[in-house]
């Protein structure tokens, strides 16, 4: 029984951590100590975000089908996308553009001006609660920038984009957690198209924790009742049938 070239029984069980094996399986190479430090920081950051759509979906599905824990977790994972949790993928595409540009600053400004003119959100920036800065992003970026083994290409691209976003907006816009995650995973050579997978892995653990909490202190019925009372039906319905 092998995971790639490693013997599951002799080389991995009891000898390697989950993060080491996961990294090897996804990237095809053995994790360096710096890889493990960065990936663990990312997974811990993404695990829990409170009652976001993914957590609400998991709680409601678990309330409806408590015999199907995996279905409840799966329903929450379906909400990991371009608006919540998985936004590092969209940000990473922009960092790739900046990192490969002949003039990174000009490229960053072009991105910032274009998205602002089109009134589109800037992936990896802004937060409704964390202002003026997202403390998670500050911590993640500080950890990565202190690692001498990292090339710094994605980190510099993010800093260039942040400066351009502030310049175009005329005020400071925070780098959020998923923006920082995009830069950190980019430093490890994780392809943009795979980055959301790390959010899925981490959030799965967080959603199991939501199920555990739902078992002890149910909230699904409260969420359902609250929505049922707060959102009135506004349709006209069917007209009454004519008397024959």
């Amino acid at each position: 029984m092998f995971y790639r070239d490693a013997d599951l029984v002799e080389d991995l069980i009891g000898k390697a951590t989950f993060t080491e094996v996961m990294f090897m399986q996804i990237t095809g190479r053995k994790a360096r100590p710096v890889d493990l430090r960065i990936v663990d920081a990312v997974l811990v950051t993404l695990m829990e975000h409170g009652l976001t759509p993914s957590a609400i979906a998991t709680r409601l599905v678990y309330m409806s089908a408590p015999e199907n824990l995996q279905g409840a977790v799966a329903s929450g994972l379906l909400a990991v996308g371009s608006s919540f949790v998985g936004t590092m993928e969209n940000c990473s595409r922009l960092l790739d553009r900046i990192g490969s540009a002949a003039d990174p600053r000009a490229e960053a400004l072009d991105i910032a001006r274009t998205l602002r003119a089109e009134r589109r959100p800037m992936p990896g920036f802004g937060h409704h609660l964390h202002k003026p800065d997202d403390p998670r992003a500050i911590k993640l970026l500080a950890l990565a920038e202190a690692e001498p083994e990292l090339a710094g290409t994605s980190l510099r691209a993010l800093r260039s984009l942040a400066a351009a976003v502030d310049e175009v907006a005329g005020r400071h816009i925070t780098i959020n957690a998923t923006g920082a995650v995009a830069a950190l995973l980019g430093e490890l050579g994780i392809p943009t198209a795979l980055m959301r997978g790390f959010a899925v892995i981490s959030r799965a653990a967080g959603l199991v924790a939501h199920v555990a909490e739902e078992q002890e202190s149910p909230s699904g019925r409260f969420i359902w009742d609250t929505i049922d009372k707060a959102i009135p039906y506004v349709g006209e319905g069917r007209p009454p049938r004519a008397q024959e």
Side-chain angles (χ1 to χ4, degrees), residues 53-79 203-204 206-208 210-212 214-215:
S54 60
I56 292 171
T58 288
R59 287 175 179 264
L60 290 176
V61 170
Y62 185 76
M63 175 198 70
S64 180
E67 73 284 355
N68 188 12
L69 181 148
Q70 71 273 23
V73 173
S75 70
L77 292 179
L78 291 174
R203 185 49 60 93
L207 293 175
V208 172
H210 275 276
V211 170
E214 192 69 16
Q215 291 173 346

Side-chain angles (χ1 to χ4, degrees), residues 37-120:
R37 289 191 293 271
I38 295 299
V39 169
D40 274 331
V42 165
L43 295 177
V44 170
T45 300
L46 297 175
M47 186 180 297
E48 177 58 57
H49 287 177
L51 281 177
T52 55
S54 60
I56 292 171
T58 288
R59 287 175 179 264
L60 290 176
V61 170
Y62 185 76
M63 175 198 70
S64 180
E67 73 284 355
N68 188 12
L69 181 148
Q70 71 273 23
V73 173
S75 70
L77 292 179
L78 291 174
V80 176
S82 60
S83 294
F84 290 93
V85 190
T87 54
M88 74 284 294
E89 189 176 283
N90 297 339
C91 181
S92 179
R93 291 193 183 96
L94 302 181
L95 301 185
D96 290 343
R97 282 179 54 186
I98 295 168
S100 61
D103 187 340
R105 183 177 182 277
E107 185 72 17
L109 281 169
D110 180 63
I111 291 170
R113 288 167 179 157
T114 299
L115 266 63
R116 185 171 179 83
E118 295 174 356
R119 301 195 176 196
R120 291 161 53 198

Side-chain angles (χ1 to χ4, degrees), residues 12-34:
L12 300 179
I13 296 177
K15 296 181 180 179
T17 68
F18 175 83
T19 307
E20 287 177 294
V21 177
M22 177 196 73
F23 189 89
M24 179 187 70
Q25 288 290 92
I26 292 174
T27 65
R29 66 176 176 85
K30 185 177 180 180
R32 304 166 297 172
V34 65

Side-chain angles (χ1 to χ4, degrees), residues 115-243:
L115 266 63
R116 185 171 179 83
E118 295 174 356
R119 301 195 176 196
R120 291 161 53 198
M122 177 65 69
F125 287 81
H127 199 280
H128 66 291
L129 291 177
H130 301 304
K131 298 176 181 179
D133 288 299
D134 187 332
R136 302 166 301 175
I138 292 174
K139 182 70 172 182
L140 288 171
L141 293 173
L143 287 172
E145 289 170 342
E147 295 284 359
E149 293 180 76
L150 300 180
T153 304
S154 294
L155 294 168
R156 288 190 294 272
L158 182 62
R159 293 297 190 188
S160 293
L161 183 57
V165 167
D166 288 358
E167 181 177 332
V168 171
R171 59 189 177 92
H172 178 59
I173 307 293
T174 186
I175 302 170
N176 61 37
T178 52
V181 165
L184 267 64
L185 293 181
E187 288 295 325
L188 302 187
I190 304 299
T192 295
L194 282 178
M195 287 187 182
R196 192 175 296 180
F198 287 80
V200 170
I201 293 165
S202 177
R203 185 49 60 93
L207 293 175
V208 172
H210 275 276
V211 170
E213 190 173 86
E214 192 69 16
Q215 291 173 346
E216 296 295 324
S217 180
S219 64
R221 177 69 64 170
F222 173 79
I223 294 171
W224 180 16
D225 289 343
T226 299
I227 293 171
D228 191 45
K229 294 173 183 176
I231 303 179
Y233 176 67
V234 296
E236 297 180 359
R238 292 184 178 180
R241 296 180 64 181
Q243 295 292 326

Side-chain angles (χ1 to χ4, degrees), residues 1-3 5-15 21:
M1 293 175 284
F2 287 83
Y3 284 10
D5 294 329
D7 186 300
L8 171 62
V9 175
E10 298 299 328
D11 300 331
L12 300 179
I13 296 177
K15 296 181 180 179
V21 177

